Amino acid sequence: MIESMNLVILIASILVVVAVFTSLVSFRVGAPLLLVFLFVGLAAGEDGIGGIMFDNAPLAYFIGSIALALILFDSGFETQLRTLKIAAGPSLVLATFGVLITTGVIGGVTWLVLDVPWLVALLFGAIVSSTDAAAVFFLLRVGGINLRDRTRSTLEVESGSNDPMAVFLTISLVELIILGGGENIALELLQRFILQIGLGAIFGLAGGYALVWMINRVKLEPGLVPIITMALALSLFGATSILGGSGFLAVYVAGLYAGNSNMKMSVGVRRFQHVTTWLAQIAMFVTLGLLATPSEFGTVVLPGVILALVLVFVARPVAVWLCLMFFNFSRNDTAFISWVGLRGAVSILLAIVPMVEGVPEGQLLFNTAFIVVITSLLLQGWTIRRMAHWLGIIVPARHGPVDRIDLELPGNANQEIVVYRVHEASAVATGHRIPRWARPSLILRDGASLRPHSAGPVQGGDQVYIITPPKHVDLLDQLFAGPAEGANDVELFGDFSFPADTRIADIGRLYGFAVDADDTELTVAEILERDLPGDLELGDRMPYGTVELIVRRTDDEHDVLEVGLAVEQQKAKPKRRIPIFQSRSELLAIWKDWQKRKRAEKNAALSDQTSSTAKQIEHGTDEADLTEAPDVPGASDDTVDDVADDAVNDTSGDNPEDGVETPEPEEDSGKKAGKAGRSKKS
């Protein structure tokens, strides 16, 4: 027994070491790191070189559930409130209705491809309906892809919040299959949804509040705070699940609340969670890889690939387009969000549930889901950066590389020690003054400790210790970081730069370009915010007369701080515009244009009919022929008679373009009155 335990420990530790070292290969070749972890488990399994026999599905689900709970808690803890405000609407719609739409589309295709009962087909749709938080967070944060804040925030919040919805659908459909369905499945699912999501959100808020209150009130050893935080998060997950709520949603909401609160030792907790999250990801992917049996994939490879392609190119794009249509994302941003719909460990983990619960098609669903996940990671995970470049949605980084260490101050949640290693080309190393509110407390130079007033100007390579509130850390990063890629690129940011509050009239007089009379009192920032829709990002350009105004620097709220000026306008490269993913405003414009064309065609038809009738009268057509005039589209017989009467009264006032009659001159009214009088006498 003891020898077996030691063997398990040895094998598990070796697998972790192998997974960590293979990450070096992942970074070099650009492969999704989580896919590498999955392949490590496959290689160590019964069909791989390791030959490890592991078929304990309940244990794999247990390990995966704990790992996913830790990952979701960390995801919520790392999500800033600013990010949530930017993306709350679109991400929550994607996390609910998007999951439902994906489930329905994939369920219908599964019913055709796998030839299973329709309820089982919907179950498979629910299994693969959610994006993988670990994969999305890794590729966006570690992969170094700089996107617009709204796009990035939507992807991150959606990936962290759509797992509870997929878990709810999977577990509910499994129970319905086992119980043989019900009289009203839609009503039963709605009741379960309200119960699980409602309890999950309520318990999550209560648990997050209790967690912050306990950490701030109870005096604990600093090394124990991260441990008790993790333990309380898992306790919340278990308690909420037992009471019928969504434990995954509860830990995400609790992490979201705690991460945006003034909690003591938050820096230490965050650092500890980074370690545990990496370990959880490795454990979950390697375990799921061990559980799989590649020799059984032969019969499901083709259906799995077909379902994966439908998921990537049909189900996900349709769901994203329908959900984001009313939030006016650009077509390219919508296309990128639909492409970053990676499936990962969550789908494989949910595929274990039918096996554990005894669904007859459980093994078939697990194997198919495994093929879908591998295809998704290979196809989407390997091409995310290329897709972002192809769509032209990458924006310049706000600052370059920064070497920073955060240290917690005991007993004070509002201040922390930030240690910067000064980059040789940073702003402070090249003469920029450090703000008064961030004066250094200590400077280390060449191994010697120096007081700030005796150290002189900060030099490259110095270690600078600053005590500051956490909210100011991002501002300090811009001072101590190296230059961002393309930061001094004239083609990207213009020939000259001005503060955002500079009046456009002053710049126009200086560089000799005309300024509109209505703009003379406006600043360059006000003009950019007026004429460019949405949040402004670095590199956004707007032609103004013979020059171009360029957003050169912004703050966290997307307010413009510095504007560049390009004296000679560049010949703009045509931005790639894909023919799908129209927004609500674009669809409304298309509808209005169609209505306008229909009205124009109708008016043209009426005008042609009027002209034809008038010509018949001029050539002496009798009254009987007039009553048999050709039908006018959309007009009744009375309308045709009225048109004919109008033509008899006046044939010179027709306007063929708009169908409006030109009134007769007033001088003719006397003649008409005379004619009418003579007619009456006769």
Side-chain angles (χ1 to χ4, degrees):
M1 178 67 181
I2 296 178
E3 291 182 358
S4 299
M5 293 174 58
N6 293 335
L7 182 61
V8 170
I9 294 173
L10 176 63
I11 293 174
S13 59
I14 290 176
L15 289 176
V16 172
V17 171
V18 171
V20 171
F21 275 104
T22 51
S23 65
L24 301 177
V25 179
S26 171
F27 285 114
R28 287 182 180 274
V29 301
L33 183 58
L34 303 179
L35 180 62
V36 174
F37 295 158
L38 197 63
F39 279 148
V40 169
L42 287 173
E46 59 182 289
D47 289 341
I49 58 176
I52 299 175
M53 300 293 296
F54 181 77
D55 58 356
N56 194 334
L59 178 60
Y61 183 76
F62 174 74
I63 295 174
S65 297
I66 294 177
L68 182 58
L70 293 175
I71 292 171
L72 289 177
F73 181 77
D74 181 64
S75 299
F77 203 89
E78 291 293 328
T79 301
Q80 300 179 5
L81 190 60
R82 177 178 64 87
T83 300
L84 185 63
K85 290 179 179 179
I86 294 174
S91 58
L92 291 180
V93 172
L94 282 172
T96 51
F97 293 102
V99 171
L100 289 173
I101 295 171
T102 304
T103 299
V105 174
I106 296 298
V109 179
T110 303
W111 181 73
L112 296 173
V113 173
L114 294 183
D115 192 22
V116 294
W118 67 271
L119 206 55
V120 176
L122 284 178
L123 172 60
F124 184 80
I127 288 172
V128 298
S129 62
S130 72
T131 59
D132 190 80
V136 172
F137 274 62
F138 171 79
L139 288 171
L140 293 183
R141 294 182 177 180
V142 183
I145 302 175
N146 297 306
L147 305 171
R148 291 181 177 273
D149 280 354
R150 193 184 187 205
T151 303
R152 173 185 292 272
S153 301
T154 299
L155 285 168
E156 291 183 352
V157 177
E158 181 218 358
S159 64
S161 58
N162 62 7
D163 291 342
M165 185 68 178
V167 173
F168 151 73
L169 287 176
T170 300
I171 295 177
S172 299
L173 288 171
V174 167
E175 292 180 358
L176 289 175
I177 292 172
I178 294 175
L179 297 176
E183 296 180 358
N184 195 334
I185 295 178
L187 181 60
E188 292 183 18
L189 289 176
L190 179 61
Q191 292 174 344
R192 290 171 181 269
F193 174 79
I194 295 174
L195 177 64
Q196 290 199 17
I197 302 302
L199 289 179
I202 294 173
F203 289 163
L205 287 173
Y209 176 82
L211 173 63
V212 174
W213 183 88
M214 179 179 295
I215 298 299
N216 288 341
R217 296 294 189 277
V218 180
K219 189 174 182 180
L220 297 169
E221 288 292 328
L224 295 176
V225 173
I227 297 175
I228 195 172
T229 301
M230 180 183 68
L232 290 174
L234 292 177
S235 300
L236 176 64
F237 168 76
T240 306
S241 300
I242 291 174
L243 295 175
S246 173
F248 295 105
L249 178 61
V251 293
Y252 180 77
V253 173
L256 191 63
Y257 182 91
N260 290 280
S261 302
N262 291 326
M263 190 178 77
K264 289 182 179 180
M265 303 298 297
S266 60
V267 175
V269 171
R270 185 170 283 109
R271 189 179 297 117
F272 179 80
Q273 286 181 173
H274 288 170
V275 176
T276 56
T277 300
W278 273 111
L279 183 61
Q281 291 176 12
I282 293 173
M284 179 166 58
F285 275 85
V286 172
T287 301
L288 296 176
L290 285 172
L291 183 64
T293 307
S295 59
E296 299 178 355
F297 291 168
T299 58
V300 297
V301 168
L302 183 59
V305 172
I306 292 174
L307 288 169
L309 295 178
V310 171
L311 178 62
V312 172
F313 293 105
V314 180
R316 170 74 176 177
V318 168
V320 170
W321 178 55
L322 293 177
C323 292
L324 298 186
M325 182 189 302
F326 299 96
F327 295 98
N328 281 331
F329 279 81
S330 70
R331 296 189 193 182
N332 290 6
D333 285 330
T334 304
F336 185 75
I337 291 173
S338 70
W339 189 254
V340 188
L342 290 91
R343 269 55 187 176
V346 176
S347 296
I348 302 176
L349 180 66
L350 294 180
I352 299 176
V353 176
M355 297 172 58
V356 174
E357 297 296 334
V359 176
E361 298 85 359
Q363 188 65 48
L364 173 65
L365 299 182
F366 177 82
N367 293 337
T368 309
F370 211 98
I371 297 298
V372 170
V373 169
I374 291 178
T375 306
S376 173
L377 291 176
L378 285 173
L379 179 60
Q380 296 170 287
W382 228 311
T383 58
I384 281 183
R385 178 178 291 276
R386 295 190 187 95
M387 182 63 70
H389 279 287
W390 186 76
L391 293 171
I393 63 172
I394 292 182
V395 297
R398 296 196 174 188
H399 56 75
V402 59
D403 189 354
R404 186 188 75 205
I405 301 175
D406 299 328
L407 301 175
E408 190 78 28
L409 281 177
N412 191 339
N414 297 321
Q415 300 286 329
E416 64 181 53
I417 300 176
V418 184
V419 184
Y420 287 98
R421 183 178 295 276
V422 182
H423 193 280
E424 298 285 347
S426 64
V428 294
T430 54
H432 197 286
R433 186 179 64 84
I434 300 177
R436 294 182 181 274
W437 49 265
R439 289 305 173 91
S441 303
L442 179 67
I443 296 177
L444 294 181
R445 180 179 300 160
D446 298 329
S449 301
L450 304 176
R451 294 182 178 180
H453 65 274
S454 62
V458 175
Q459 302 176 9
D462 288 353
Q463 281 188 309
V464 181
Y465 289 71
I466 299 176
I467 300 177
T468 182
K471 63 181 180 180
H472 292 157
V473 172
D474 290 339
L475 299 177
L476 291 175
D477 285 349
Q478 301 181 29
L479 296 176
F480 289 93
E485 183 179 355
N488 299 316
D489 189 346
V490 174
E491 293 185 358
L492 183 62
F493 288 113
D495 305 278
F496 309 98
S497 63
F498 300 92
D501 57 356
T502 306
R503 293 194 311 160
I504 187 66
D506 297 335
I507 301 177
R509 284 193 297 269
L510 183 61
Y511 291 97
F513 62 87
V515 175
D516 294 340
D518 297 336
D519 297 343
T520 54
E521 298 300 323
L522 297 179
T523 66
V524 286
E526 291 171 341
I527 291 177
L528 286 169
E529 292 170 353
R530 179 194 67 187
D531 295 340
L532 292 179
D535 293 332
L536 298 180
E537 298 284 355
L538 301 184
D540 284 348
R541 315 171 69 96
M542 186 198 76
Y544 191 93
T546 59
V547 301
E548 274 188 308
L549 302 178
I550 307 168
V551 179
R552 195 180 181 100
R553 190 158 61 91
T554 62
D555 60 13
D556 290 339
E557 302 298 328
H558 298 277
D559 294 327
V560 181
L561 301 178
E562 187 177 354
V563 176
L565 179 72
V567 178
E568 295 183 1
Q569 290 189 21
Q570 297 180 12
K571 186 177 181 180
K573 296 180 181 179
K575 189 172 182 180
R576 196 178 303 278
R577 186 175 178 85
I578 56 179
I580 53 176
F581 300 121
Q582 288 85 353
S583 64
R584 174 179 57 88
S585 58
E586 290 178 310
L587 292 175
L588 286 176
I590 294 173
W591 170 257
K592 290 179 180 178
D593 289 342
W594 182 79
Q595 291 286 340
K596 186 177 180 180
R597 287 196 303 269
K598 294 296 289 184
R599 286 196 298 268
E601 292 174 0
K602 183 177 181 180
N603 291 336
L606 287 172
S607 177
D608 292 342
Q609 178 61 35
T610 303
S611 177
S612 175
T613 305
K615 289 180 180 179
Q616 291 178 2
I617 295 174
E618 289 178 356
H619 288 80
T621 305
D622 57 15
E623 184 176 354
D625 293 335
L626 287 176
T627 59
E628 298 176 358
D631 292 337
V632 179
S636 62
D637 295 338
D638 294 337
T639 304
V640 175
D641 294 339
D642 293 340
V643 173
D645 292 342
D646 291 340
V648 172
N649 290 333
D650 183 15
T651 60
S652 62
D654 297 333
N655 188 342
E657 294 183 357
D658 55 11
V660 179
E661 296 180 359
T662 304
E664 296 180 352
E666 294 182 0
E667 63 183 6
D668 293 336
S669 60
K671 297 179 181 179
K672 284 190 174 185
K675 292 179 181 179
R678 288 193 298 270
S679 175
K680 186 175 181 181
K681 291 178 181 179
S682 62

